[in-house]
């Protein structure tokens, strides 16, 4: 199997643009330097010469003021808090796990090279797992990137401290150079070979060669790179003398200058990752033993304590509760006198890092509990058997649904110790551990159930049960599995052996030809290994430690791929089921706390800059962001109205006003009102984690005659009008495109000449060190760059816009702005390319024409029965009377209210929420309309509609891509409207909007 990469995902392109726009105005240039080859002493005496090569490095020509201006423009565009000064050369990109972070930063390398000529890049990662993952991605994207960037030559290598030779080539080559290195290989100056002279690099220290190139340093997971070994990671990054440092993660600790943010909430809402559901195994009414579970130990200002779970006696019966205990506490008193806790005492509590424990003393013995461990619990193995059984059931249910779509289902088990899955006898022969034995027993049992017979036809269950599971663990030098740790060189070698195996088999695992489907791991798959087809994650160990929950589910968030290596979208296919031992409300609450802690997202808090990026049209028709000042004014209004408190926390009055549509805003915010309401709705909501036990198959509704409604004459009449599939062609009106481009270019901003910035600072030397204090008398001088060598304008614009030279000449001469090209060539090229490409996108939709493919190419009515529809109770309108399904599954409050309105309005005869398989092709990806509705006017005339529901009807309030797809939807259904009384396509906020359209006849 070969994985396909989508080159035009809008959010990935936005992340790439954000970084590239930092250098807007930068000329294409490089710096050259000499790399000496030091000869042994005797050779130098005899030859009297020193060999040398020419080194090639990156060069930055922008002033700090220009970089800061670019940075604040990017932040305003992305709705991010603006930076007031350029504190460092560190820039932050935040992308949720599973949204293609590695692809984004690798493609950014090629884009930076294409636009500005940068060639030297160092990717720094925290662990062997991520290093292998990046290297694997470079291998499988090599042809993809060469196809996108005209075959540009590039070299990439893993830095190996034992083989520093490639570093010399890194410094001297004029091709794009990508060096991938773990922080462990660079953060110890006293032992790392990076800082030592080597014959293999011509006698130079590798670090000196790297410094001379002024590389762009890309840090993957900087929170793990910076802080390692007392902050030495950050020191090592700065030692490379980077032109700038780009930092990519979902969980930044130090946010530096934020240029792009796609947080967990955005990713879930835009369905860029899998829907998460939790199948929770909670123990109830098991209070017959003296249960004690250690949650954590604490040392607050010398007061040592432990937080434990106990079964306490309350007025409502025995309840499991968390309490704080100290050395010498009597547990019987704490739990309300329950006799089974008689003579249970707390002993020593240790808070030493890595040695945290609590001593529990009881009659006849004592036990030392580590965080997450318990005493007096139910049989742990019995619970784990049930969890394995449930994971197998979830797996087989998904396999029935997804195998026909060409999607292989994988399940992942995280376990507490390797020995529970596999151990070794005295001769080194492997023996199945208890988890492996339980798995095979439960798999064979499930395979015999009638519901899964179709999956096991002709399969030998004895051998199949052994073939479908395996473990990925660290491998020691004897080839035996061992628990994973990367705390020293030997353990890193063990991990490397395991990761090599995992990464090499990444695509094989996705193929039906490989029987392996269930993967057991210790912690080897914690980061760096993300297989898109993991649909179940079962935690057979404690998941309630800090950040563990997010890291665990992160292994299964990526959208799945089919047997052709193509990404498959939509929550109806992509649902990750987490099988855990905490109830789903707890899981959701704890996950939310982790996201708040990791990302700084403050759920339920309105920030002062929250509305700055909202686009508004000014009096001259220009689109511009609302801006920081107006955003702050709006924030103050909400505070004065009592909708938020002094810290921005959302109050109940705001939620009520949003729900009832009664939010009052100042007159100046009338135009962007819908966008403001949408921002507030998102902020005041919570992360939506589903309960697996609430998932239901939605049956087709039957009429009074016992016949399925979708087979009725009324629905057939509606379906026949919309079932035909189409193809499209785009007709460019070249003359109109040229005219539009000329008009847009004439309205584009003024292009400034290059400037020289003067600054003064007082230097003071004291006991505290040397400090520089900027003085007020700054000055700017415009430079007359008469000696600029003008680039090939037509070729450059041709590459950026894919228009012919003739068309580009017409646009440039018509705009009357060619003098600007001489003033500042680079800025003019960028402005022109951006303007032309925006006009092209609009023209793409304006000129689209659809035609039907004929009667053989239709969405058959029978698909309603063949394609199973599932949903969750909390997102269902139950027991409908007019839908073709018994319940309606909705994605938003707008859809819920619309369905409710359809049910209650007498003019609506029947309707359906159009399923995910009903798709309209567009140049911007497939489009799935919302509803098909049959309206009966006056009891006689029947009208047929396809409806798209939106919270606003104003195009400005919709994303460009969204509104473009709606235009394509109109064109598609217009092409189908050839017969008598055709179906009409409508965009509506409510049933009232639909009926107003129906009254037009």
């Amino acid at each position: 199997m070969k994985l396909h990469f989508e080159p035009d995902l809008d959010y990935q392109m936005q992340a790439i643009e954000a970084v590239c726009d930092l250098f807007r105005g930068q000329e294409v240039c490089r710096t050259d330097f000499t790399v000496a080859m030091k000869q042994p002493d005797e050779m130098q005496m005899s030859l009297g010469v020193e060999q040398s090569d020419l080194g090639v490095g990156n060069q930055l020509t922008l002033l700090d003021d220009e970089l800061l201006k670019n940075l604040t423009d990017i932040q305003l565009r992305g709705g991010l808090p603006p930076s007031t000064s350029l504190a460092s050369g560190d820039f932050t990109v935040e992308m949720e796990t599973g949204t293609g972070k590695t692809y984004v930063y690798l493609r950014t390398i090629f884009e930076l090279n294409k636009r500005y000529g940068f060639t030297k890049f160092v990717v720094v990662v925290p662990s062997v797992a991520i290093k292998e993952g990046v290297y694997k991605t470079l291998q499988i994207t090599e042809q993809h990137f060469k196809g996108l960037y005209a075959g540009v030559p590039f070299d990439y290598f893993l830095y190996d401290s034992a083989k520093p030779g490639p570093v010399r080539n890194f410094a001297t080559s004029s091709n794009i150079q990508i060096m991938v290195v773990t922080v462990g290989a660079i953060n110890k100056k006293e032992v790392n070979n990076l800082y030592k002279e080597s014959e293999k690099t011509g006698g130079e220290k590798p670090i000196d060669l790297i410094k001379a190139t002024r590389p762009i340093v890309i840090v993957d997971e900087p929170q793990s790179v910076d802080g390692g070994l007392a902050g030495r990671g950050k020191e090592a990054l700065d030692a490379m003398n980077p032109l700038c440092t780009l930092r990519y993660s979902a969980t930044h600790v130090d946010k530096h200058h934020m240029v792009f943010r796609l947080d967990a909430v955005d990713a879930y809402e835009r369905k860029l990752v899998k829907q998460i559901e939790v199948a929770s195994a909670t123990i109830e009414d098991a209070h017959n033993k003296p249960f004690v579970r250690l949650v954590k130990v604490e040392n607050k200002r010398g007061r040592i304590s432990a937080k434990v779970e106990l079964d306490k006696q309350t007025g409502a019966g025995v309840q499991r509760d968390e309490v704080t205990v100290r050395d010498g506490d009597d547990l019987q008193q704490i739990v309300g006198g329950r006799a089974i806790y008689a003579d249970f005492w707390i002993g020593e509590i240790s808070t030493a890092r890595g040695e945290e424990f609590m001593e529990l003393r009881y009659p006849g013995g004592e036990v030392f509990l580590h965080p997450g461990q318990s005493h007096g619990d139910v049989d742990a193995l019995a619970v784990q058997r049930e969890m394995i059984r449930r994971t197998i059931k979830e797996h087989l249910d998904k396999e029935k649904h997804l195998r026909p779509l060409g999607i292989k289902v994988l399940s992942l088990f995280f376990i507490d110790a390797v020995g529970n899955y596999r151990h070794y006898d005295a001769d080194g022969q492997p023996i199945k551990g208890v988890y492996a034995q339980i798995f095979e027993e439960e798999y064979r049992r499930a395979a015999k159930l009638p519901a899964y017979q179709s999956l096991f036809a002709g399969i030998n269950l004895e051998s199949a049960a052994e073939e479908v599971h395996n473990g990925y663990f660290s491998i020691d030098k004897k080839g035996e599995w061992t628990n994973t740790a990367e705390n020293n060189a030997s353990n890193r070698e063990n991990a490397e052996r395991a990761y090599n195996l995992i990464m090499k088999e990444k695509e094989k695992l996705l193929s039906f030809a490989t029987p392996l489907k269930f993967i057991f791991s210790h912690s080897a798959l914690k980061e760096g290994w993300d297989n898109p087809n993991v649909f179940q994650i079962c935690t057979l160990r404690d998941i309630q430690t800090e950040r563990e929950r997010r890291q665990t589910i992160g292994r299964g968030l990526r959208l799945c791929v089919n047997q052709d290596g193509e990404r498959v979208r939509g929550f109806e296919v992509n649902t990750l089921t987490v099988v855990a031992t905490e109830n789903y409300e707890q899981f959701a609450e704890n996950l939310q706390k982790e996201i708040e802690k990791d990302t700084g997202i403050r759920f339920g808090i309105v920030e002062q800059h929250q509305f700055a990026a909202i686009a508004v049209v000014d009096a001259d028709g220009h689109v511009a962001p609302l801006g920081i000042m107006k955003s702050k004014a709006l924030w103050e209004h909400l505070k004065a109205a009592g909708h938020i408190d002094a810290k921005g926390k959302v109050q109940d009055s705001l939620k009520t006003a949003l729900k009832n549509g009664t939010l009052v805003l100042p007159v100046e915010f009338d135009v962007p009102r819908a966008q403001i309401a949408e921002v507030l709705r998102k902020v005041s909501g919570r992360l939506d984690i589903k309960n697996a036990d609430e998932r239901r198959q939605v049956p087709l509704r039957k009429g009074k005659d016992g016949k399925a409604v979708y087979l009725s004459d009324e629905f057939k009449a509606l379906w026949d009008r919309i079932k035909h599939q189409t193809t499209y062609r785009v007709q460019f009106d070249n003359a109109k495109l040229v005219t539009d481009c000329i008009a847009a270019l004439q309205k584009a901003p003024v292009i400034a000449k290059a400037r020289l910035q003067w600054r003064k600072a007082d230097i003071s030397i004291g006991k505290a060190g040397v400090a520089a204090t900027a003085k007020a008398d700054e000055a700017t001088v415009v430079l007359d760059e008469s000696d600029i060598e003008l680039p090939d304008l037509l070729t450059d614009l041709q590459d950026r816009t894919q228009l012919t030279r003739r068309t580009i000449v017409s646009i440039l001469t018509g705009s009357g702005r060619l003098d600007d090209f001489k003033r500042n060539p680079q800025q003019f090229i960028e402005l022109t390319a951006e303007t032309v490409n925006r006009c092209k996108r609009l023209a793409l939709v304006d000129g689209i024409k659809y035609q039907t493919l004929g009667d053989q190419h239709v969405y058959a009515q029978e698909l309603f029965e063949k394609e199973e529809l599932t949903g969750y109770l909390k997102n269902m309108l139950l027991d409908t009377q007019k839908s073709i399904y018994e319940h309606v599954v909705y994605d938003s409050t707008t859809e819920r209210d619309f369905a409710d309105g359809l049910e209650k309005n007498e003019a609506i005869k029947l309707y359906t929420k159009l399923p995910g398989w009903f798709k309209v092709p567009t140049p911007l990806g497939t489009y799935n309309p919302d509803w098909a509705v049959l309206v009966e006017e006056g009891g006689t005339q029947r009208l047929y509609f396809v409806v798209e529901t939106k919270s606003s009807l104003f195009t400005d309030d919709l994303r460009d891509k969204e509104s473009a797809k709606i235009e394509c939807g109109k064109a598609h259904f217009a092409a189908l409207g050839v017969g008598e009384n055709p179906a009409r396509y409508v965009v509506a906020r409510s049933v009232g909007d639909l009926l107003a359209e129906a009254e037009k006849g």
Side-chain angles (χ1 to χ4, degrees), residues 66-309:
E66 292 171 306
L67 261 178
L68 182 60
K69 168 88 172 57
N70 289 344
L71 174 62
T72 51
D73 286 349
I74 293 161
Q75 290 169 330
L76 185 60
R77 184 173 81 205
L80 301 167
S83 300
T84 52
S85 63
L86 202 63
S88 71
D90 295 88
F91 302 97
T92 296
V93 177
E94 185 176 308
M95 292 184 74
E96 175 60 2
T97 303
T99 56
K101 164 173 58 78
T102 308
Y103 175 87
V104 164
Y105 68 64
L106 291 179
R107 182 157 175 191
T108 300
I109 288 173
F110 292 92
E111 201 63 38
L112 287 170
N113 172 262
K114 177 182 171 184
R115 297 187 192 189
Y116 310 115
F118 297 138
T119 56
K120 302 301 161 77
F121 301 88
V122 178
V123 180
V124 183
V125 300
S127 67
V128 174
I130 296 180
K131 181 181 79 170
E132 293 296 335
V134 173
Y135 192 66
K136 178 70 177 180
T137 305
L138 278 163
Q139 288 175 319
I140 61 181
T141 54
E142 186 167 347
Q143 294 309 313
H144 171 78
F145 287 137
K146 283 185 174 173
L148 286 177
Y149 293 94
V152 61
F154 66 98
D155 303 313
Y156 56 91
F157 66 98
L158 297 178
Y159 172 76
D160 183 344
S161 57
K163 302 171 187 172
V167 176
R168 187 179 178 87
N169 183 59
F170 176 88
T172 57
S173 172
S174 59
N175 294 343
I176 297 173
Q177 295 290 309
I178 305 169
M179 179 171 96
V180 185
V181 59
T182 59
V183 69
I186 63 172
N187 62 4
K188 300 176 196 165
K189 288 189 178 178
E190 61 279 7
V191 294
N192 289 148
N193 290 337
L194 190 77
Y195 303 96
K196 298 174 184 175
E197 292 180 357
S198 168
E199 287 181 20
K200 293 170 184 173
T201 53
E204 298 267 7
K205 296 176 183 174
I207 187 65
D208 290 339
L209 293 174
I210 294 168
K211 281 166 75 170
T213 68
R214 293 219 65 200
I216 291 177
V217 173
I218 294 169
V219 188
D220 195 330
E221 308 294 355
Q223 73 283 357
S224 301
V225 168
D226 290 348
L229 301 171
R232 288 189 194 168
K234 183 76 173 80
E235 257 181 62
L237 298 178
D238 295 338
M240 291 186 188
N241 187 31
L243 181 136
C244 72
T245 304
L246 306 175
R247 307 160 70 81
Y248 290 79
S249 178
T251 55
H252 291 277
V253 175
D254 301 310
K255 298 222 185 295
H256 297 280
H257 304 299
M258 181 84 76
V259 295
F260 180 77
R261 185 175 207 176
L262 177 72
D263 60 38
V265 179
D266 289 328
Y268 295 142
E269 285 190 343
R270 294 173 66 179
K271 301 185 180 180
L272 305 177
V273 292
K274 288 193 183 93
Q275 163 72 58
I276 303 169
E277 66 174 18
V278 182
S280 55
T282 52
I283 309 298
E284 297 176 4
D285 300 326
H287 307 303
N288 303 307
K289 296 179 185 176
F291 173 79
V292 182
R293 178 176 174 275
L294 178 60
V295 178
K296 63 179 177 180
V297 294
E298 292 178 312
N299 185 346
K300 290 185 178 175
R301 297 178 186 172
R303 282 176 62 82
I304 293 175
S305 62
K307 188 161 274 190
V308 298
E309 277 186 345

Side-chain angles (χ1 to χ4, degrees), residues 181 387-388 445 493 507 524 661 881 912 986:
V181 59
M387 293 175 75
I388 291 171
R445 188 194 66 80
E493 281 178 27
E507 291 100 330
Q881 300 302 309
T912 184
V986 177

Side-chain angles (χ1 to χ4, degrees), residues 799-858:
D799 287 343
R800 291 171 184 244
T801 65
Q802 280 77 52
L803 293 181
T804 64
R805 296 170 82 88
R806 191 175 183 177
T807 302
I808 293 168
V809 168
S810 301
I811 293 168
L812 293 176
T813 51
S815 72
R817 294 195 61 171
L818 274 169
D819 283 345
D820 284 346
F821 174 56
K822 296 172 191 169
R823 286 164 65 86
N824 193 324
Q826 185 64 32
Q827 220 180 333
F828 180 79
I829 288 170
E830 288 174 3
L831 181 74
T832 305
E834 189 179 311
T835 305
V836 169
N837 282 330
R838 192 184 306 123
C839 291
K840 261 180 67 184
R841 281 197 294 274
L842 293 172
L844 201 67
V845 174
D846 287 345
I848 197 162
K849 293 277 186 285
Y850 281 88
Q851 62 185 58
T852 58
L853 291 169
D855 291 338
Q856 300 302 311
H857 298 276
V858 297

Side-chain angles (χ1 to χ4, degrees), residues 22-87:
L22 274 172
F23 305 102
R24 183 184 286 265
Q26 159 84 11
E27 297 169 10
V28 177
C29 59
R30 71 184 198 190
T31 182
D32 297 336
F33 57 92
T34 302
V35 179
M37 172 71 82
K38 296 177 185 173
Q39 303 290 341
D41 290 346
E42 62 274 11
M43 285 180 67
Q44 283 198 9
M45 286 171 64
S46 60
L47 295 172
V49 297
E50 181 176 87
Q51 295 181 14
S52 67
D53 288 327
L54 190 65
V56 179
N58 300 328
Q59 185 181 357
L60 184 65
T61 59
L62 292 179
L63 301 170
D64 280 0
D65 271 8
E66 292 171 306
L67 261 178
L68 182 60
K69 168 88 172 57
N70 289 344
L71 174 62
T72 51
D73 286 349
I74 293 161
Q75 290 169 330
L76 185 60
R77 184 173 81 205
L80 301 167
S83 300
T84 52
S85 63
L86 202 63

